[in-house]
Amino acid sequence: MSAQVEEKPELSQLEVAMDLERVDNEGHSPRAHMGDGLVKSRFDDLSLGKACWTFRKALFYCFVAYTSSVMEGFVLTMSGSIIANQGFINQFGETQPDGSKVLNTSWVSAWGAIINVGQIIAMTYVPFMTDRFGRKLGFYSCWLLYTAFLGKLLFGIGVGTAQILTTPYVMEIAPTRVRGGIIGGGLIWQVVPNARARRTTIGGILCSLMLQISNQRYPLRYLLPIYVIWGPIASLLLCFFVLPESPWFHARRDNKEASIKSLRRLYQGIPGYDFEEEYGIIRRSLEHEKLQDGEARSLTWKTVFTGLNRKRLTVMIALCCSQQLGGVTLIYSYSTYFFQLAGLQDPFLASLVQNLIGLAAVIVFTFTVDKIGRRPILCPSYTIMSGILWVIGGVYYAGSAASQRVLLALVCIWQPAFTVFGNSYFLLASELPTAQLRMKANAASWVTQAVLGIATNFAVPPLLTHLGIRAAFVFGATSLPFMIFFWYFLPETKGRSVSEIDELYEQHVPAWRWAKYETEAERQMRAVVAGSRLTKPVSV
């Protein structure tokens, strides 16, 4: 006897059943108030300029959420640069036979790795807390950890909380049409370097300027920049207070009233915006995911590593691990130390130049990612990064004063390539997981990256000591497999709703075909919009 396989209903079939069963008090189907079963918003076809203006209030809240990254930047930029401060070296360095003081390489490794330990600790509790009690509680816990400034480990936990929480939260409140630009623009607040994806932005520039001035005027007062941190801490509480809770969080708990209340705070005053319809889109997406993975409260960590979720997670882990194995710890975390070994007379100024170039790259990324897509930016960027590492290693054999300028030029080319690549990770890591597993999947990839970050933080100082800039050859070799992987397996998510991404994975569409593939959700949305225009009454 042949076994019968029960097929899971498609999303449209599920909605038909729901609409037939649920009738309001007046005998009308809820479909009349739920957008005809839409799983993609009518506003997803707006032009970029019109979408930015229409959703300007939601954009404001997104940028408020990203202010948490300012604190991340100050402490993490200092942790990578303060080790070159003479006062810091005098305090913690080991006395050499000639009377000078030098930092022990093992100590430098531990100094860089402790932030990763804090991030790992954060990743063990953030998914549980934010999925059960809400995103806002996660922001408040981040602030409390920043105020309890008792050491780099606690600050690392706060940084890890902000890193894993902020972008998924923005993903849940940002309009699909301009999601990439919002996340890219929000990362302007974020700072280099951190243990995961080191980017150079406004915070990094401010911190580099502060370190530059401090190093020139007060070369032995290494604690001075740390005192400045307390200023931004106070303002963060106000920012977190004004943020609305994610409507997706409330929808997962079947709290329609609270979800629509959050939607109203985000999108109030937009002509033609139907809150019932938009809530229906969220609910349908979640109901479909429940058919695939089960109820949100019953999901375990095992779910993240099974079925199509494993395929999504593989891309996320490749994106984050490729940063460490692409030389970011070598060139960025120890950028000041790296420039000193190369013989540059003013390493702090060189680091500032890096930051300015990185800021320009972030701005370009912000205004292009929703127009040309993710793949056309990310894949060439990583190819450039990998190629430059080989050239940097080869500069060692030049052995001339001019090679110092060549080295700086190569790093300044590598910098914008990595900046847009690092920003792409945050964007794709928020887009690829299912809505129910977004926090868990992000935490899983972050843990992988943090563990690898600890390893590279211990490996890089000895590599620099024994190989100098030839250490770039090591990371050039480790970056090649990732470069090939991205060209074949990195999907294009530009303009895709949560349900569309689910559909593309379920239909096993090859990654390189995502950009031109027309989904059922897309066809349905356009048909409904076209029908609405045809049936719209004509005023006489």
Side-chain angles (χ1 to χ4, degrees):
M1 183 176 63
S2 60
Q4 293 182 350
V5 179
E6 181 180 354
E7 296 184 357
K8 293 182 178 180
E10 295 295 330
L11 186 57
S12 57
Q13 295 172 335
L14 171 68
E15 280 306 313
V16 170
M18 292 171 65
D19 284 346
L20 289 174
E21 292 176 3
R22 294 180 299 171
V23 178
D24 62 21
N25 294 332
E26 298 180 2
H28 300 299
S29 168
R31 182 179 292 279
H33 303 289
M34 298 284 275
D36 298 308
L38 284 175
V39 290
K40 184 175 174 66
S41 175
R42 301 169 189 258
F43 290 85
D44 287 356
D45 273 351
L46 290 177
S47 65
L48 288 175
K50 190 172 182 179
C52 287
W53 177 252
T54 301
F55 297 111
R56 57 190 179 277
K57 188 175 181 180
L59 267 63
F60 166 76
Y61 282 117
C62 291
F63 281 100
V64 169
Y66 274 118
T67 56
S68 63
S69 302
V70 175
M71 284 306 306
E72 171 192 343
F74 271 88
V75 70
L76 294 176
T77 302
M78 280 191 296
S79 68
S81 300
I82 203 172
I83 56 175
N85 179 276
Q86 190 57 51
F88 189 89
I89 295 173
N90 291 344
Q91 180 68 30
F92 300 101
E94 296 179 351
T95 304
Q96 304 300 302
D98 60 358
S100 63
K101 287 197 172 184
V102 177
L103 294 176
N104 182 280
T105 56
S106 298
W107 191 94
V108 172
S109 299
W111 174 260
I114 193 65
I115 198 74
N116 298 88
V117 176
Q119 288 172 315
I120 293 174
I121 295 173
M123 293 160 202
T124 61
Y125 81 89
V126 171
F128 167 79
M129 179 180 64
T130 55
D131 282 341
R132 187 176 181 86
F133 301 108
R135 307 324 194 200
K136 287 200 68 170
L137 183 62
F139 283 117
Y140 287 137
S141 70
C142 175
W143 183 81
L144 287 174
L145 286 164
Y146 283 157
T147 57
F149 190 61
L150 302 178
K152 197 176 179 184
L153 178 62
L154 278 182
F155 217 105
I157 300 175
V159 166
T161 302
Q163 288 174 333
I164 193 174
L165 172 61
T166 305
T167 305
Y169 169 80
V170 171
M171 165 71 183
E172 294 181 342
I173 69 172
T176 301
R177 185 67 182 92
V178 291
R179 185 175 60 220
I182 290 174
I183 293 177
L187 291 174
I188 289 177
W189 292 103
Q190 223 155 14
V191 190
V192 305
N194 62 51
R196 184 147 208 281
R198 294 153 174 83
R199 299 159 306 284
T200 309
T201 48
I202 288 176
I205 292 173
L206 293 176
C207 192
S208 294
L209 284 171
M210 179 181 64
L211 289 170
Q212 173 76 354
I213 295 172
S214 175
N215 189 57
Q216 290 178 347
R217 297 184 180 180
Y218 312 102
L220 301 182
R221 297 181 61 182
Y222 68 92
L223 288 174
L224 184 61
I226 298 177
Y227 299 146
V228 180
I229 291 177
W230 291 97
I233 286 179
S235 63
L236 281 180
L237 183 61
L238 177 61
C239 293
F240 293 158
F241 178 77
V242 302
L243 289 176
E245 183 56 83
S246 165
W248 286 79
F249 168 75
H250 290 307
R252 276 192 293 269
R253 303 177 71 84
D254 295 323
N255 192 339
K256 179 180 178 180
E257 182 180 351
S259 182
I260 291 181
K261 183 179 179 181
S262 293
L263 288 171
R264 289 188 184 279
R265 287 194 63 189
L266 292 165
Y267 305 116
Q268 185 73 47
I270 297 176
Y273 194 92
D274 189 331
F275 295 100
E276 291 280 350
E277 178 177 287
E278 296 297 329
Y279 173 76
I281 291 173
I282 296 175
R283 284 296 304 156
R284 291 184 190 90
S285 300
L286 293 173
E287 290 296 334
H288 180 63
E289 291 183 359
K290 287 179 182 178
L291 292 176
Q292 305 297 321
D293 297 325
E295 292 286 341
R297 295 182 181 180
S298 65
L299 297 179
T300 64
W301 284 97
K302 182 180 179 181
T303 313
V304 180
F305 299 93
T306 58
L308 292 175
N309 295 318
R310 181 175 61 241
K311 187 175 182 180
R312 301 175 192 232
L313 183 63
T314 300
V315 177
M316 294 172 61
I317 290 178
L319 283 167
C320 64
C321 291
S322 61
Q323 297 173 43
Q324 293 288 358
L325 297 178
V328 63
T329 306
L330 172 71
I331 295 179
Y332 220 153
S333 290
Y334 297 92
S335 58
T336 303
Y337 186 48
F338 185 76
F339 287 133
Q340 283 184 331
L341 287 179
L344 297 177
Q345 298 301 315
D346 194 346
F348 283 99
L349 182 59
S351 179
L352 177 61
V353 171
Q354 272 190 289
N355 290 336
L356 290 170
I357 295 173
L359 175 61
V362 172
I363 294 173
V364 172
F365 175 83
T366 298
F367 288 99
T368 58
V369 68
D370 281 318
K371 188 172 183 63
I372 66 177
R374 284 56 159 161
R375 271 179 63 92
I377 295 177
L378 192 148
C379 293
S381 295
Y382 199 79
T383 302
I384 291 171
M385 288 170 54
S386 180
I388 286 179
L389 286 170
W390 292 96
V391 180
I392 287 177
V395 169
Y396 170 84
Y397 298 98
S400 63
S403 65
Q404 298 179 11
R405 293 189 291 272
V406 172
L407 176 64
L408 182 58
L410 288 171
V411 171
C412 289
I413 296 173
W414 185 94
Q415 166 65 37
F418 173 76
T419 298
V420 297
F421 178 83
N423 285 3
S424 297
Y425 164 76
F426 278 85
L427 175 56
L428 287 165
S430 65
E431 294 177 324
L432 292 179
T434 64
Q436 294 193 116
L437 294 171
R438 187 170 290 130
M439 296 303 299
K440 285 185 173 67
N442 269 270
S445 63
W446 274 81
V447 167
T448 306
Q449 166 68 6
V451 171
L452 187 59
I454 293 174
T456 53
N457 271 296
F458 277 97
V460 166
L463 281 174
L464 287 172
T465 301
H466 297 290
L467 298 178
I469 60 175
R470 289 176 297 175
F473 285 137
V474 176
F475 292 100
T478 56
S479 66
L480 282 177
F482 291 103
M483 181 187 71
I484 298 170
F485 176 88
F486 294 140
W487 282 106
Y488 281 96
F489 299 107
L490 185 74
E492 177 58 72
T493 55
K494 182 188 73 172
R496 298 297 191 185
S497 68
V498 171
S499 291
E500 284 185 288
I501 294 174
D502 291 343
E503 179 183 338
L504 287 163
Y505 270 113
E506 291 163 15
Q507 296 297 323
H508 300 284
V509 179
W512 61 86
R513 291 185 55 198
W514 277 38
K516 297 182 179 180
Y517 189 88
E518 185 179 28
T519 63
E520 178 62 32
E522 194 173 9
R523 289 191 293 268
Q524 180 198 35
M525 182 271 291
R526 289 175 178 169
V528 170
V529 171
S532 300
R533 291 170 180 169
L534 289 174
T535 58
K536 185 178 180 180
V538 179
S539 58
V540 180

